[in-house]
Amino acid sequence: MEVVILASYDEVSRAAAREVARVLSTKPNAVLGLATGSTPLGLYRELVRMHRDEGLDFSQVTTFNLDEYVGLPPNHPQSYHVFMHEHLFQHVNVAAQNIFIPSGAPANISAYCAWYERQIQERGGIDLQILGIGADGHVAFNEPGSSLASRTRIKTLARQTIEDNARFFERREDVPAYAITMGVGTILEARELLLCANGRNKARAVALAIEGPVTAMVTASALQMHRQAKVLLDQEAAGELKMREHFDWIEECRAGALGAQLGTEQ
Ligand code: F6R
């Protein structure tokens, strides 16, 4: 795992956007895995800017979102469908038929989840998966206890996640208790993973995910099993890392003579 600690949230967002642009420069028809929530807002702002000012082209890109709340229609203001259209899709040139976001209201949930997995396969698999991390260490909505081999399915949100996400809803009771989410196993099949985190409330989860044991109790720790996982942190999110000096040293070396040969494989 490559851990990069940056000065600010803005730097995290810009570095994440550069990773997306790098992938698109070598593979214009790449498949991107996308996340919602507060963390990727800066990334999406920067991608929109790069599309507008630098011609970053999404015309051949396919996207798969990680998750959606169960019970929210796609036009609900708090649905992840609306979130993605507001913050990214309406501002860039991704073709509508290439956008995949789990449905929040499928007739047959398990058949639908199997279909979503098949779409990922049929599009050639995910090249770069963007991830945030929950304060309880979740990736996507793989809450503590989720199998590290799990696939797309319905999950019950942890109480803490419901509390954390209540800020987006008028009332706490309005936060759905279930989501359809890619599984940890689905996520681990992406060719590259990019996890971003900012803010002090993520510091503990980040430290457990990076330096703790691989455990279903902190599903982000599964990134330790991936060959090409990069973590971008601001100072606050890196605040509880014990190996901080080591990670800074590795990044210094990347800037040195042999840095380019270190490659992205970790
Ligand atoms: C959202 C998702 C979640 C969030 C996580 C952090 O698609 O997959 O795992 O990434 O809950 O959310 P924020 O960024 O709002 O702190």
Side-chain angles (χ1 to χ4, degrees):
M1 197 186 298
E2 182 184 351
V3 179
V4 185
I5 302 161
L6 296 162
S8 64
Y9 172 66
D10 280 351
E11 278 199 27
V12 168
S13 301
R14 281 197 294 270
R18 282 196 298 275
E19 295 290 334
V20 174
R22 171 183 58 76
V23 169
L24 296 189
S25 71
T26 53
K27 190 173 179 187
N29 63 346
V31 178
L32 300 176
L34 300 177
T36 55
S38 316
T39 310
L41 285 174
L43 160 65
Y44 296 151
R45 258 197 308 273
E46 182 61 6
L47 289 177
V48 169
R49 189 201 64 73
M50 289 166 96
H51 171 69
R52 192 186 56 226
D53 300 344
E54 297 166 16
L56 184 65
D57 181 25
F58 293 86
S59 61
Q60 299 177 60
V61 166
T62 297
T63 65
F64 283 93
N65 264 79
L66 286 168
D67 40 24
E68 177 59 287
Y69 291 116
V70 171
L72 297 192
N75 60 354
H76 188 285
Q78 299 311 331
S79 76
Y80 288 163
H81 282 73
V82 168
F83 176 100
M84 288 308 301
H85 283 277
E86 267 183 8
H87 295 290
L88 185 66
F89 296 143
Q90 70 179 5
H91 308 288
V92 298
N93 60 337
V94 187
Q97 70 272 19
N98 291 345
I99 295 172
F100 293 82
I101 305 174
S103 164
N108 176 332
I109 290 180
S110 68
Y112 177 80
C113 292
W115 175 85
Y116 199 73
E117 289 273 335
R118 269 199 315 279
Q119 297 315 300
I120 297 174
Q121 293 308 320
E122 284 174 14
R123 298 283 178 139
I126 292 171
D127 291 296
L128 175 66
Q129 176 65 58
I130 306 295
L131 297 165
I133 182 171
D136 64 2
H138 69 220
V139 276
F141 277 133
N142 294 289
E143 298 288 23
S146 294
S147 161
L148 300 186
S150 50
R151 314 300 309 188
T152 302
R153 68 217 184 288
I154 182 170
K155 281 294 289 182
T156 308
L157 304 190
R159 281 187 207 276
Q160 178 170 0
T161 303
I162 293 174
E163 295 295 337
D164 289 348
N165 291 356
R167 67 191 193 278
F168 299 114
F169 291 80
E170 267 177 31
R171 297 170 312 165
R172 189 195 170 288
E173 312 80 90
D174 296 338
V175 188
Y178 304 96
I180 288 182
T181 177
M182 278 189 209
V184 183
T186 320
I187 291 168
L188 289 179
E189 279 174 11
R191 292 181 190 90
E192 289 185 59
L193 302 180
L194 181 65
L195 186 145
C196 299
N198 63 286
R200 197 171 319 153
N201 67 325
K202 300 293 175 67
R204 185 166 171 276
V206 163
L208 288 171
I210 296 174
E211 298 178 338
V214 175
T215 168
M217 291 300 137
V218 179
T219 53
S221 67
L223 269 67
Q224 295 177 34
M225 303 296 290
H226 197 280
R227 285 165 61 180
Q228 292 209 39
K230 187 165 187 165
V231 180
L232 300 174
L233 304 173
D234 75 351
Q235 297 291 318
E236 290 185 331
E240 292 191 28
L241 288 174
K242 294 191 182 66
M243 301 284 286
R244 162 86 201 240
E245 271 184 34
H246 170 73
F247 296 129
D248 285 342
W249 160 245
I250 301 292
E251 285 311 300
E252 259 176 56
C253 292
R254 279 187 178 277
L258 284 177
Q261 294 185 48
L262 290 174
T264 55
E265 190 164 321
Q266 297 302 307

